[in-house]
């Protein structure tokens, strides 16, 4: 017959929290990578500008400029910032869904909690994963992501 509505709600809440944890860990990873690329590009640009002024180190400066150009070309391919923002949005949606489910559980007497009320929450949970998957694929298919 299946689980009781309260048990189903607890299972669903656990899945939502795991989804939120997934989005949080990916968001942190993508944020670190996006920040590292930006900081590295900034540092290399500044160093090359300073070294060009010294003239003695001009060859090194031109090598640094080449590295900045390479980073500038590679960064849109990985598009860490867009992934970071995508996971931020996903985490928000999972948190909102968990809040809504917790409120539903707190405001509904156990005898009135039904699977049909939980089905709507589960449909939203599935929609978060569907949207994440579709958006992820769109980002991967795009040959040149738009600058952020």
């Amino acid at each position: 017959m299946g689980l009781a509505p309260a048990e189903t709600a607890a299972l669903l809440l656990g899945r939502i929290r795991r989804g939120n944890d997934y989005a949080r860990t990916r968001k942190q990873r993508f944020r670190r990578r996006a920040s590292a690329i930006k900081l590295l590009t900034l540092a290399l640009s500044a160093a090359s500008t300073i070294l060009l002024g010294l003239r003695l180190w001009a060859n090194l400066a031109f090598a640094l400029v080449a590295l900045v150009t390479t980073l500038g070309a590679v960064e849109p391919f990985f598009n860490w910032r867009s992934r970071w923002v995508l996971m931020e949005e996903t985490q928000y949606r999972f948190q909102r869904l968990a809040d809504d489910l917790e409120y539903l559980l707190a405001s509904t007497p156990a005898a009135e909690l039904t699977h049909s009320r939980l089905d709507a929450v589960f449909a939203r949970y599935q929609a978060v994963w569907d949207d994440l998957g579709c958006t992820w694929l769109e980002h991967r298919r795009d040959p040149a992501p738009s600058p952020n």
Side-chain angles (χ1 to χ4, degrees), residues 16 20 24 90-100:
I16 292 168
N20 195 0
R24 180 184 309 107
T90 301
Q91 188 180 6
Y92 162 78
R93 291 179 67 191
F94 278 132
Q95 186 58 52
R96 175 67 191 262
L97 191 55
D99 290 346
D100 290 349

Side-chain angles (χ1 to χ4, degrees), residues 47-66:
S48 65
T49 302
I50 291 168
L51 291 174
L52 276 173
L54 297 177
R55 294 184 193 242
L56 196 58
W57 296 89
N59 290 337
L60 178 59
F62 285 121
L64 294 180
V65 169

Side-chain angles (χ1 to χ4, degrees), residues 3-10 105 110 113-115 118:
L3 298 175
E7 293 170 323
T8 302
L105 292 172
L113 186 64
T114 63
H115 283 101
L118 295 173

Side-chain angles (χ1 to χ4, degrees), residues 70-81:
T70 303
L71 284 174
V74 169
E75 194 274 333
F77 176 77
F78 291 107
N79 206 7
W80 299 119
R81 189 175 192 290

Side-chain angles (χ1 to χ4, degrees), residues 29-45 67-68 70-81:
R29 179 184 312 156
F30 299 151
R31 182 180 59 220
R32 279 192 305 270
R33 290 178 180 177
S35 299
I37 290 287
K38 289 294 181 191
L39 290 174
L40 184 58
T41 301
L42 177 64
L44 290 173
S45 295
L67 285 174
V68 169
T70 303
L71 284 174
V74 169
E75 194 274 333
F77 176 77
F78 291 107
N79 206 7
W80 299 119
R81 189 175 192 290

